[in-house]
Each structure stands twice: as structure tokens, then as C-alpha cells.
């Protein structure tokens, strides 16, 4: 499915739609080139889950955890851009962050990818004119709850 995101407000609405459909164990895998809007969409999802503070990019920390009551569901926001090989995701304890939580993963391919998981919502963002296009594919667990 392709979704046109013409401006920041559209990105925020899309993020809210994703947040409303999330369940524990889900992965939102965000792909796209530098500047495509991965962190912007991650911030929109986290805000829609109830977080009211500043959402830092996890570029240097690699994983930023969020827990209730600050958010509706526990989640980990990860940016795997700096990983040199997928095994490093295991070395930083990714499984511990994921247990009983949602994972928002930027640059998922650097961590070995998640598209094979039934709870993975894969979103590729592409720059289009002044906005973005989101190419969305959901795993089996997303049937009937795909964001729009």
C-alpha cells in the first residue's frame, strides 16, 4: 500500500494511525534514505502513544526505551544506522529491550531485518515533491489493522 504524506501534519496523522493499532511484540521497521523522515515518523508514533517530552534521535545511544505511564505501551526506539553488522544488535541487548514491548526500528536492515516476523509493519519512506510517500507492508499479525 502507498500512502501520500504531503506535509508534517499528514506524517503526524499517519503516526497516530500506527500508534492506535500497535500491540505488544509489534515491530515498526522504518526504511528510507537519509532525510526521508524515519525519525519524524517515529516521533509522531511516540507522541501519539502519549509521550509529551522531546523525543531524541537514538542515533548515538542506538536504543531509547519508553515506559508507561509516559506512553500507552512500553516501547524501544532504535536507530541501527551505526551498526557494522547485524550481530551487534544482539550484543547491545536488543532482545531485552523488545521483551514485552513495541520496537520502532530505523535502518532495520543494519540489524538483520524484521520483515520475516508476523508482527512487523515495514514502512519505506521516499521523498516525493515537498512531501513523502510511505510504502507500507504488514506481516500476518497486521491483517485487519493496517494504518491509513
Amino acid at each position: 500500500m502507498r500512502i501520500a504524506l504531503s506535509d508534517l501534519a499528514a506524517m503526524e496523522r499517519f503516526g497516530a494511525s500506527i500508534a492506535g493499532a500497535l500491540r505488544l511484540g509489534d515491530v515498526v521497521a522504518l526504511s528510507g534514505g537519509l532525510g526521508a523522515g524515519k525519525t519524524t515518523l517515529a516521533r509522531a508514533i511516540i507522541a501519539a502513544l502519549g509521550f509529551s517530552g522531546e523525543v531524541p534521535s537514538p542515533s548515538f545511544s542506538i536504543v531509547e526505551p519508553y515506559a508507561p505511564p509516559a506512553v500507552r505501551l512500553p516501547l524501544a526506539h532504535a536507530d541501527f544506522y551505526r551498526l557494522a553488522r547485524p550481530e551487534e544488535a544482539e550484543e547491545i541487548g536488543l532482545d531485552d529491550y523488545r521483551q514485552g514491548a513495541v520496537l520502532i526500528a530505523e535502518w532495520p536492515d543494519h540489524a538483520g531485518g524484521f520483515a520475516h516476523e508476523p508482527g512487523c509493519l515495514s514502512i519505506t519512506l521516499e521523498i516525493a515533491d515537498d512531501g513523502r510517500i510511505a510504502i507500507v507492508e504488514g506481516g500476518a499479525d497486521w491483517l485487519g489493522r493496517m494504518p491509513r
Side-chain angles (χ1 to χ4, degrees), residues 44-66:
I45 295 166
I46 295 167
L49 286 171
F51 192 75
S52 59
E54 184 177 329
V55 175
S57 171
S59 294
F60 293 102
S61 62
I62 301 180
V63 180
E64 287 287 335
Y66 296 85

Side-chain angles (χ1 to χ4, degrees), residues 84-129:
R85 56 190 210 299
E87 296 79 21
E88 288 182 73
E90 185 178 320
E91 293 168 10
I92 63 169
L94 182 60
D95 288 343
D96 294 334
Y97 286 107
R98 290 188 64 184
Q99 192 165 24
V102 169
L103 173 64
I104 300 173
E106 298 184 44
W107 300 96
D109 54 317
H110 289 219
F114 304 93
H116 63 281
E117 297 181 18
C120 184
L121 181 68
S122 297
I123 301 170
T124 301
L125 294 168
E126 297 178 351
I127 297 171
D129 300 320

Side-chain angles (χ1 to χ4, degrees), residues 117-118 120-122 136-143 146:
E117 297 181 18
C120 184
L121 181 68
S122 297
V136 184
E137 295 180 49
D141 288 354
W142 280 89
L143 291 175
M146 290 289 285

Side-chain angles (χ1 to χ4, degrees), residues 1-3 5 14 29-33 36 38 41 108 121-127 132-137:
M1 163 177 39
R2 295 173 68 86
I3 299 172
L5 304 169
F14 183 48
L30 303 175
S31 300
K38 295 177 297 296
L41 181 54
L121 181 68
S122 297
I123 301 170
T124 301
L125 294 168
E126 297 178 351
I127 297 171
R132 305 290 186 268
I133 298 290
I135 302 163
V136 184
E137 295 180 49

Side-chain angles (χ1 to χ4, degrees), residues 4-78:
L5 304 169
S6 58
D7 55 20
L8 182 58
M11 184 80 80
E12 289 170 350
R13 285 190 301 274
F14 183 48
S17 177
I18 294 167
L22 284 174
R23 298 178 186 158
L24 293 177
D26 283 342
V27 176
V28 179
L30 303 175
S31 300
L34 291 170
K38 295 177 297 296
T39 301
T40 300
L41 181 54
R43 287 177 172 145
I45 295 166
I46 295 167
L49 286 171
F51 192 75
S52 59
E54 184 177 329
V55 175
S57 171
S59 294
F60 293 102
S61 62
I62 301 180
V63 180
E64 287 287 335
Y66 296 85
V71 287
R72 179 176 65 84
L73 296 169
L75 72 100
H77 176 202

